[in-house]
């Protein structure tokens, strides 16, 4: 059973590589031919179009950047795949995009599962990603052995869209934790506590979080510009899902001043 993979960026590339190294037959397609160069001696095969990849593969994973990219890929992929196929969306996008595409796929006898991931390129390369799944339980069971090639934790959260909802909440919480870390270390400066020493203390104390660790190792506020841009996108998406729910407002209002500060510092 050939697995198609589309989206060979900093996270998708290592995920595809792990599938290849696990012995799965993998077919790749990339919009830019140079993205395929690292895989020429890997044992993977290559498609010259999304349509050709879809026609050749029973399962296709998509790991592109945004909703527009996923929709463009699926516009060619869904008509090309045979009934019984499975599309796995690893991108972090709006849950409604996943449910809409799942309906289009179902009309052709194809299943769609949303499976956003957490852990970055390093986690993908190490095989320790967290995968958040939304979709039919039988389909999830079918693809889980494949996901183990790059995942350390795999959680099925509900129907299509549930994985995206979980990822958006996770990323909003990450943004809030980084905002709290920023303010905690600013507070240290304000009252004369050695900032670097406090950072080391918190890393082994009850105030620790993954977000604090990430913030503390940034050389400057603006250095996190790329990550903050992605977190800001996901906070905004969660806002579209939840509206003005009080629980979202707390996450948003905690995270937003820090995310705005990073964007301003990077642009300065």
């Amino acid at each position: 059973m050939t697995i198609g993979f589309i989206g060979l960026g900093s996270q998708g590339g290592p995920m595809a590589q792990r599938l290849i190294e696990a012995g799965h037959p993998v077919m790749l397609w990339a919009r830019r031919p140079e993205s395929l160069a690292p895989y020429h001696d890997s044992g993977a095969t290559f498609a010259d179009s999304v349509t050709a990849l879809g026609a050749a593969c029973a399962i296709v994973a998509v790991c592109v950047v945004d909703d527009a990219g996923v929709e463009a890929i699926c516009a060619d992929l869904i008509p090309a795949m045979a009934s019984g196929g499975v599309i796995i969306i690893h991108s972090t996008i709006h849950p409604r995009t996943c449910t809409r595409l799942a309906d289009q796929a179902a009309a052709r006898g194809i299943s769609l599962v949303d499976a956003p991931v957490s852990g970055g390129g390093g986690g993908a390369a190490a095989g320790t990603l967290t995968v958040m799944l939304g979709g039919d339980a039988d389909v999830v069971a079918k693809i889980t052995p494949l996901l183990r090639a790059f995942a350390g934790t795999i959680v099925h959260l509900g129907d299509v869209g549930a994985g995206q909802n979980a990822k958006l909440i996770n990323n909003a919480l990450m943004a809030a934790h980084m905002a709290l870390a920023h303010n905690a270390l600013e507070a240290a400066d304000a009252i004369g506590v050695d900032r670097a020493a406090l950072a080391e203390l918190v890393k082994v104390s009850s105030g620790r979080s993954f977000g604090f660790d990430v913030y503390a190792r940034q050389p400057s506020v603006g250095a996190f510009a790329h990550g903050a841009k992605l977190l800001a996108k996901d906070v905004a998406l969660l806002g579209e899902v939840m509206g003005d729910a009080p629980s979202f407002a707390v996450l948003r209002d905690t995270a937003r001043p820090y995310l705005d500060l990073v964007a301003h510092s990077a642009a300065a």
Side-chain angles (χ1 to χ4, degrees):
M1 181 174 59
T2 303
I3 304 163
F5 203 101
I6 298 173
L8 301 172
S10 61
Q11 187 156 260
M15 292 165 68
Q17 185 63 41
R18 293 282 303 193
L19 286 167
I20 295 165
E21 291 173 355
H24 299 293
V26 175
M27 178 176 286
L28 306 174
W29 177 84
R31 195 175 305 278
R32 296 179 293 110
E34 57 268 27
S35 298
L36 298 173
Y39 306 93
H40 283 165
D41 297 322
S42 68
T45 57
F46 306 97
D48 59 10
S49 67
V50 174
T51 298
L53 183 143
C57 298
I59 297 176
V60 178
V62 179
C63 192
V64 296
V65 173
D66 55 18
D67 290 65
V70 171
E71 294 196 73
I73 293 295
C74 287
D76 292 334
L77 188 60
I78 291 172
M81 291 184 72
S83 178
V86 180
I87 298 171
I88 307 171
I89 305 298
H90 289 303
S91 310
T92 301
I93 57 174
H94 199 297
R96 282 200 303 267
T97 301
C98 289
T99 55
R100 184 173 64 253
L101 291 173
D103 288 343
Q104 295 174 16
R108 295 187 54 84
I110 299 163
S111 300
L112 186 144
V113 173
D114 62 304
V117 300
S118 180
T128 59
L129 288 179
T130 298
V131 183
M132 309 166 205
L133 288 162
D136 178 81
D138 289 339
V139 179
V140 166
K142 177 180 178 179
I143 66 171
T144 293
L146 304 177
L147 302 178
R148 291 196 180 108
F150 50 74
T153 301
I154 300 169
V155 182
H156 183 204
L157 293 134
D159 294 333
V160 174
Q164 299 294 345
N165 281 327
K167 177 65 183 292
L168 297 179
I169 293 169
N170 177 79
N171 280 12
L173 186 59
M174 171 70 171
H177 281 173
M178 293 192 72
L180 290 170
H182 169 75
N183 284 285
L185 294 180
E186 289 290 298
D189 284 340
I191 60 176
V193 174
D194 183 276
R195 183 186 183 100
L198 180 67
E200 293 305 310
L201 172 70
V202 171
K203 288 178 184 179
V204 294
S205 300
S206 57
R208 184 188 181 201
S209 70
F210 179 76
F212 184 93
D213 291 350
V214 172
Y215 177 83
R217 64 175 177 257
Q218 301 302 315
S220 65
V221 172
F224 192 65
H226 178 67
K229 182 178 180 180
L230 295 176
L231 290 178
K233 177 203 73 157
D234 293 345
V235 171
L237 283 175
L238 185 61
E240 292 179 21
V241 172
M242 296 188 68
D244 289 325
S247 54
F248 168 69
V250 172
L251 290 170
R252 176 199 63 208
D253 293 347
T254 303
R256 181 175 287 168
Y258 165 70
L259 296 174
D260 290 345
L261 176 65
V262 175
H264 177 75
S265 296

